[in-house]
Amino acid sequence: MKVIKGSWKGDMTDYLGKDIFKLGFGLMRLPKLEDGSIDVEQVKVMADKFIAAGGKYFDSAYLYDGGGSERAFKEAVVDRYPRDAYYIATKLSAAIGVSDEESAKNEFNISLERTGAGYFDFYLLHGIQNNNISKYDEYGIWDYVKGLKEQGLVKHYGFSFHGTPELLDELLSKHPDVDFVQLQINYADWEDERVASRRCYEVVRKHNKPLTVMEPIKGGKLANPADMIKDVFQKANPDASCASWAVRFVASLDGIITVLSGMSNIEQMEDNLSYMKDFKPLSEDERKVIEEVQRILKDDKQIKCTACHYCTEGCPMSIPIPEIFSLKNQQILFSLSDEQLRRDYMFATHNRGKASDCIECGQCEGACPQHLTIIDLLKTCRSME
Ligand code: SF4
Ligand code: SF4
């Protein structure tokens, strides 16, 4: 892979990743078998279709599926393709599941062993936000990753980010050699005050850095939005899926290396490839359609949970927070019957905690990249019990 020095210049004629296929394969929500393990055979088929269409960028993390994601990537891609057929990005977390500097730094070695990739094309400090940045500084992770780059074990380094635009500006001023940034961007969060997609994007542009994008479909939600939103998209183009509008919105922004879609089955891969294979940026008329949908969403009362599960790991009451929020959203959007809702709620909380079991310890709120007021929101979900 050509290493472009200096990253993205303002005129956008040349920047890191300019020529990379604009759909990236996110390995966060891989298909599962009934026993809960990853369906590697299905991942192989998905990877084959992706690479055959021109895809190269795979995105994993030390934390995804307890290492299962990186191992599945090895089986599906590394063991079956030459090294120059793909780019692999993975991430080191100094904030979740680590207690000291040594274990944080050792994540790199474990990821290298799990993937068998030999080196990482893209390597990220994982999920930086305002309440965990101190860990990355305290453990010297910035210098550690820069050292890995000097050794050629990492080709490009960056960080994924869930904090405020102000912190982002500070970090990019402090670390001007960062090669790229990964942001959560989608049309629904563009003007959202907590996620602040637009403002964060503008900070990255100001620092002339290219971006990879996560959650373009907002954890799958924008693939199946409320009927009133579906109607707007259907009217504009009956042949385009709702997901295609979401991914193309993000891929049409300047300075994008690739847009990561966390695909969970072959159908999602096929749908994504159908419009990204010969990607065309949104036209002026299509932008207006997105603006209309954004106006509708402004009034939306849904809980803005992306189902990342960062909150559940340390919950002392084992409450399936994202599953409960998802049911609440379905109640808001689809007017489910009480009977149906209770059945789904019982299923989601079977052998686990219920919303009313919350002891308000606050652990989950500190871990939530969406800064949701989880404790209060769970109170609104008790009516489903
Ligand atoms: S505040 Fe409630 S939901 Fe959050 S971690 Fe504590 S017990 Fe679990
Ligand atoms: S509540 Fe927050 S941390 Fe938990 S799954 Fe939803 S977005 Fe993630």
Side-chain angles (χ1 to χ4, degrees), residues 200-252:
C200 285
Y201 170 72
E202 286 172 359
V203 169
V204 174
R205 288 197 62 167
K206 187 181 89 174
H207 286 268
N208 287 334
K209 301 295 178 190
L211 307 96
T212 50
V213 177
M214 55 188 157
E215 304 287 9
I217 315 178
K218 207 168 162 51
K221 293 198 167 40
L222 304 184
N224 190 24
D227 286 346
M228 52 195 163
I229 293 170
K230 276 187 199 152
D231 290 347
V232 174
F233 286 141
Q234 274 281 314
K235 212 170 109 200
N237 182 352
D239 298 326
S241 67
C242 294
S244 75
W245 284 95
V247 175
R248 287 182 61 229
F249 166 77
V250 180
S252 299

Side-chain angles (χ1 to χ4, degrees), residues 133-147:
I133 182 61
S134 60
K135 285 289 170 202
Y136 290 89
D137 292 335
E138 184 188 334
Y139 295 161
I141 301 301
W142 296 93
D143 286 341
Y144 176 61
V145 173
K146 288 174 197 185

Side-chain angles (χ1 to χ4, degrees), residues 311 314-317 319 321 358-364 374-375 378:
C311 56
C315 174
M317 306 309 288
I319 298 171
I321 299 165
C358 174
I359 56 170
E360 305 190 13
C361 67
Q363 178 283 141
C364 53
I374 296 174
I375 296 170
L378 280 176

Side-chain angles (χ1 to χ4, degrees), residues 304-312 321-322 325 364 367-372 374:
K304 310 282 192 284
C305 168
T306 63
C308 67
H309 280 90
Y310 291 147
C311 56
T312 50
I321 299 165
F325 287 170
C364 53
C368 178
Q370 310 305 321
H371 312 294
L372 296 180
I374 296 174

Side-chain angles (χ1 to χ4, degrees), residues 61-298:
Y62 173 84
L63 285 176
Y64 291 172
D65 268 313
S69 165
E70 290 181 331
R71 282 189 285 267
F73 172 72
K74 178 178 190 299
E75 278 190 65
V77 180
V78 178
D79 291 349
R80 300 169 63 240
Y81 284 92
R83 185 63 183 84
D84 62 359
Y86 59 86
Y87 302 130
I88 175 64
T90 193
K91 315 184 189 77
L92 179 160
S93 171
I96 297 178
V98 281
S99 51
D100 56 29
E101 178 177 336
E102 196 186 336
S103 55
K105 289 180 175 173
N106 200 36
E107 288 179 25
F108 173 80
N109 299 314
I110 295 171
S111 292
L112 208 56
E113 196 187 324
R114 282 176 186 160
T115 59
Y119 61 89
F120 296 124
D121 304 278
F122 296 84
Y123 198 61
L124 300 92
L125 284 64
H126 193 173
I128 289 182
Q129 50 183 305
N130 296 56
N131 66 4
N132 67 19
I133 182 61
S134 60
K135 285 289 170 202
Y136 290 89
D137 292 335
E138 184 188 334
Y139 295 161
I141 301 301
W142 296 93
D143 286 341
Y144 176 61
V145 173
K146 288 174 197 185
L148 294 171
K149 186 177 166 184
E150 279 166 21
Q151 295 169 57
L153 293 167
V154 162
K155 301 298 178 196
H156 303 288
Y157 99 93
F159 58 92
S160 59
F161 187 77
H162 293 284
T164 60
E166 293 74 23
L167 175 64
L168 182 57
D169 197 20
E170 192 185 316
L171 290 178
L172 288 172
S173 302
K174 212 165 146 190
H175 303 282
D177 55 349
V178 158
D179 293 308
F180 69 107
V181 178
Q182 183 161 311
L183 288 183
Q184 171 173 326
I185 304 181
N186 55 65
Y187 68 74
D189 288 326
W190 190 240
E191 295 295 347
D192 183 276
E193 281 180 24
R194 287 162 310 200
V195 182
S197 282
R198 179 183 56 75
R199 291 175 58 216
C200 285
Y201 170 72
E202 286 172 359
V203 169
V204 174
R205 288 197 62 167
K206 187 181 89 174
H207 286 268
N208 287 334
K209 301 295 178 190
L211 307 96
T212 50
V213 177
M214 55 188 157
E215 304 287 9
I217 315 178
K218 207 168 162 51
K221 293 198 167 40
L222 304 184
N224 190 24
D227 286 346
M228 52 195 163
I229 293 170
K230 276 187 199 152
D231 290 347
V232 174
F233 286 141
Q234 274 281 314
K235 212 170 109 200
N237 182 352
D239 298 326
S241 67
C242 294
S244 75
W245 284 95
V247 175
R248 287 182 61 229
F249 166 77
V250 180
S252 299
L253 297 169
D254 288 339
I256 300 295
I257 298 172
T258 198
V259 179
L260 303 168
S261 178
M263 293 169 267
S264 302
N265 55 49
I266 293 168
E267 291 72 36
Q268 288 171 7
M269 174 65 78
E270 286 175 340
D271 180 53
N272 278 344
L273 289 176
S274 69
Y275 53 85
M276 291 304 285
K277 200 168 169 204
D278 301 305
F279 168 66
K280 287 188 188 59
L282 292 179
S283 66
E284 215 29 65
D285 283 348
E286 287 175 323
R287 278 182 198 284
K288 286 185 185 139
V289 174
I290 294 277
E291 281 166 18
E292 188 180 344
V293 167
Q294 285 173 323
R295 274 194 293 278
I296 295 171
L297 277 170
K298 252 190 163 177

